[in-house]
């Protein structure tokens, strides 16, 4: 598989940062990350309402409207510049990193990606919504063609591999080590490549999918702003062979 840059490199979990400045002490970190959070991906709901998480300053955590495994969330802690979600017995549920608006990581039992955000998202969703209000649609890559609603959905699993879907890259696309727009870029995929995906989820700013590149993994945002103005779909679902 060709790439526009060097092969994807391993990247460590992102360190927690506060908006505008790095939190320096444990108390500052606890204050920065306490409060109300949401998981917008439908797969993490136990009903029709959003999965809601409240982290308090005493390191207690409460989840409402959440399915397994977050329904068992009872505690949280900050360790080695990461947020760790724990159950009532203090067994680890997930390891997270990020910023005050969005933390991301991996569920300890299944390896699924987890995106946890503030109610207003991390800012990207607002910028995209404002662009949509101006231009009335998402465009397919760098074209002037409006994307159909189906083009914004996660890919369907293929017949050859029911656990995975495939997409065709429509732009030269940044691959990030976490499903956050401030996460380090670990590679760039060339327009026209067909990629087999490992896992997809959704957030306030749309679909994010994870792919495996040899021994490494990376995350791809399905929506973006071109030149900070034009809302675009960066890859489309396909049945083509990689």
């Amino acid at each position: 598989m060709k790439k526009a840059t060097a092969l994807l490199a391993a990247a460590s979990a992102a360190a927690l940062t506060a908006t505008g400045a790095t939190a320096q002490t444990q108390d500052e970190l606890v204050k920065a990350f306490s409060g109300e959070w949401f998981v917008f991906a439908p797969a993490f709901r136990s009903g029709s309402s959003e999965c809601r998480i409240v982290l308090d300053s005493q390191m207690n955590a409460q989840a409402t409207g959440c399915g397994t495994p977050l329904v068992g969330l009872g505690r949280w802690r900050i360790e080695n510049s990461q947020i760790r979600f724990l159950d009532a017995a203090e067994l680890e549920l997930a390891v997270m990193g990020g910023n005050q608006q969005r933390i991301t990581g991996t569920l300890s039992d299944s390896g699924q990606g987890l995106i946890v955000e503030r109610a207003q998202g991390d800012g990207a969703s607002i910028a995209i919504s404002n662009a949509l209000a101006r231009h009335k649609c998402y465009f397919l890559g760098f074209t002037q063609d409006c994307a159909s609603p189906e083009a914004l959905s996660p890919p369907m699993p293929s017949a050859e591999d029911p656990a995975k879907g495939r997409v065709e890259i429509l732009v030269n696309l940044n691959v990030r080590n976490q499903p956050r727009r401030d996460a380090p870029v670990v590679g760039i995929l060339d327009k026209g490549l067909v990629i087999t995906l490992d896992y997809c989820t959704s957030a306030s700013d749309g679909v994010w999918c994870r792919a495996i590149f040899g021994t490494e993994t990376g995350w791809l945002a399905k929506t973006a702003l071109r030149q900070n103005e034009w809302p675009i779909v960066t890859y489309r679902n396909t049945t083509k062979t990689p």
Side-chain angles (χ1 to χ4, degrees):
M1 179 187 298
K2 65 175 182 174
K3 299 182 178 64
T5 62
L7 293 175
L8 294 173
S12 59
L16 299 179
T17 57
T19 300
T22 301
Q24 297 298 315
T25 69
Q26 184 80 359
D27 287 344
E28 287 173 327
L29 281 171
V30 170
K31 182 178 180 180
F33 289 92
S34 293
E36 186 179 56
W37 297 83
F38 292 87
V39 182
F40 294 118
F44 287 92
R45 299 175 188 170
S46 64
S48 59
S49 61
E50 306 289 359
C51 170
R52 175 177 176 267
I53 295 170
V54 176
L55 309 178
D56 71 21
S57 60
Q58 303 304 307
M59 312 310 286
N60 297 308
Q62 183 179 27
T64 56
C66 304
T68 305
L70 295 179
V71 68
L73 183 63
R75 299 280 293 168
W76 69 293
R77 67 169 179 250
I78 298 173
E79 183 179 294
N80 297 326
S81 297
Q82 293 175 309
I83 288 178
R84 297 178 184 271
F85 286 170
L86 313 169
D87 66 14
E90 304 224 350
L91 296 176
E92 186 176 274
L93 300 179
V95 179
M96 315 287 289
N99 55 60
Q100 283 186 11
Q101 280 69 50
R102 187 170 187 156
I103 54 177
T104 62
T106 304
L107 294 176
S108 300
D109 63 342
S110 65
Q112 286 182 305
L114 177 63
I115 302 173
V116 184
E117 305 177 80
R118 299 296 191 180
Q120 70 277 14
D122 67 350
S125 59
I126 296 174
I128 291 173
S129 293
N130 290 339
L132 282 172
R134 293 191 297 272
H135 299 291
K136 310 305 180 187
C137 76
Y138 284 95
F139 299 96
L140 287 171
F142 293 151
T143 73
Q144 296 181 349
D145 300 329
C146 285
S148 67
E150 291 77 16
L152 297 168
S153 64
M156 297 298 292
S158 65
E160 294 82 0
D161 191 341
K164 300 176 181 178
R166 293 175 185 165
V167 296
E168 180 181 0
I169 306 300
L170 300 177
V171 299
N172 293 333
L173 181 60
N174 287 336
V175 181
R176 299 185 182 274
N177 78 331
Q178 284 291 318
R180 299 192 317 274
R181 294 176 195 265
D182 67 344
V185 174
V186 294
I188 301 175
L189 296 177
D190 288 344
K191 176 183 176 182
L193 286 176
V194 174
I195 303 297
T196 299
L197 301 172
D198 170 60
Y199 174 75
C200 290
T201 188
S202 57
S204 63
D205 57 344
V207 171
W208 285 79
C209 290
R210 185 175 65 193
I212 299 175
F213 305 91
T215 60
E216 313 301 339
T217 62
W219 286 89
L220 319 175
K222 194 169 191 181
T223 59
L225 285 181
R226 177 164 58 93
Q227 298 178 341
N228 294 319
E229 174 61 27
W230 307 93
I232 66 170
V233 174
T234 63
Y235 50 87
R236 61 184 166 197
N237 306 342
T238 186
T239 56
K240 292 181 181 179
T241 301

